[in-house]
Amino acid sequence: MYRFTTFLKDLGTIRGALIVSAVLFVLAIAAGWNASREIQEILAGEIQALAETSQNLSASDNPELSFFVFIFLNNAIKSLIVMFAGLLIGIIPFVFLAMNGMVLGFLMELVRANGGDLNELIFKGLLPHGIIEIPVLIIAGAYGLMLGALVIRSILPGQKKGEALGLKWRTAWRKTGTASLWILILLFVAAIIESTITLWLMS
C-alpha cells in the first residue's frame, strides 16, 4: 500500500490534476516575473520575511541543523495542509501554488534586475534541492486539487451517489495517505540537500 511503486502508479491516475497543478505553478512564475507594483510589494514582503528568517538561522549555534529543521517542517506542514485542505473545493491548493510560483518568479526577476547572476541562483540556489522539492510541492497541490474536484462532484446535483461515490472516496483517501508518506520522505531528502549542499554553494 505504501510502496514507492504504488505512489508512482497513483500519480498516473491523477494525471489531470498534476497537469493543472504544474501549469498553474509555471503560470504563477511568469506572473511573478511580470508582477505589477502592488503585487511586487506583497511578494517582496514574503521574500523579506524569508531573508530575516535565514539570517536568524545563520546566526544559530548549528546553522545546518537549524536550516534543516526549519525547511523540513515548513515544507512538510504546508504540503500536508495543502493536500487535505483541498476538501475546501480546492481553493487553498490553488492559492498555495499561485503564491509559491509568483514568489519564485519575482525572486528571479529581482536578481536579474539588480544585476545578479540568474544562472547562479538557478543552478546553485534552486536546482540542487529544487529538483526534488518543486515537483513534490506540485504533487501536493495536485492531490489537493483532486480532493477539491471530488468534493465538487459529490455536491453537484445530478451526480451519481451511493456505492460508486463511496468507492471513489475510499480510493482517494488511500492514494492521499500513500502520497503523504512519500511527500514527507522526499521533502526530508530535499531539506537535507538544501541545508547542506545548497547552503554551501550559496555561502
Side-chain angles (χ1 to χ4, degrees), residues 50-68 70-71 194-195 198-200 202-203:
L50 288 173
E52 292 175 358
T53 300
S54 178
Q55 289 177 351
N56 293 334
L57 295 173
S58 297
S60 66
D61 294 334
N62 192 332
E64 290 83 4
L65 179 60
S66 298
F67 270 101
F68 167 75
F70 172 77
I71 292 166
E194 188 172 358
S195 61
T198 302
L199 192 62
W200 175 70
M202 295 300 292
S203 61

Side-chain angles (χ1 to χ4, degrees), residues 41-112:
E41 291 177 358
I42 297 173
L43 300 176
E46 293 288 326
I47 292 174
Q48 179 62 32
L50 288 173
E52 292 175 358
T53 300
S54 178
Q55 289 177 351
N56 293 334
L57 295 173
S58 297
S60 66
D61 294 334
N62 192 332
E64 290 83 4
L65 179 60
S66 298
F67 270 101
F68 167 75
V69 172
F70 172 77
I71 292 166
F72 174 66
L73 290 180
N74 182 60
N75 286 336
I77 292 171
K78 286 183 177 178
S79 294
L80 292 180
I81 289 175
V82 163
M83 290 176 72
F84 292 98
L87 293 170
L88 302 175
I89 63 173
I91 295 174
I92 292 179
F94 182 92
V95 173
F96 171 80
L97 292 165
M99 280 301 299
N100 277 274
M102 290 178 69
V103 167
L104 181 56
F106 177 65
L107 175 61
M108 291 191 293
E109 167 58 14
L110 196 62
V111 170
R112 185 204 63 79

Side-chain angles (χ1 to χ4, degrees), residues 5 60 67 100 139 169 174:
T5 52
S60 66
F67 270 101
N100 277 274
I139 289 169
W169 273 108
R174 199 274 304 158

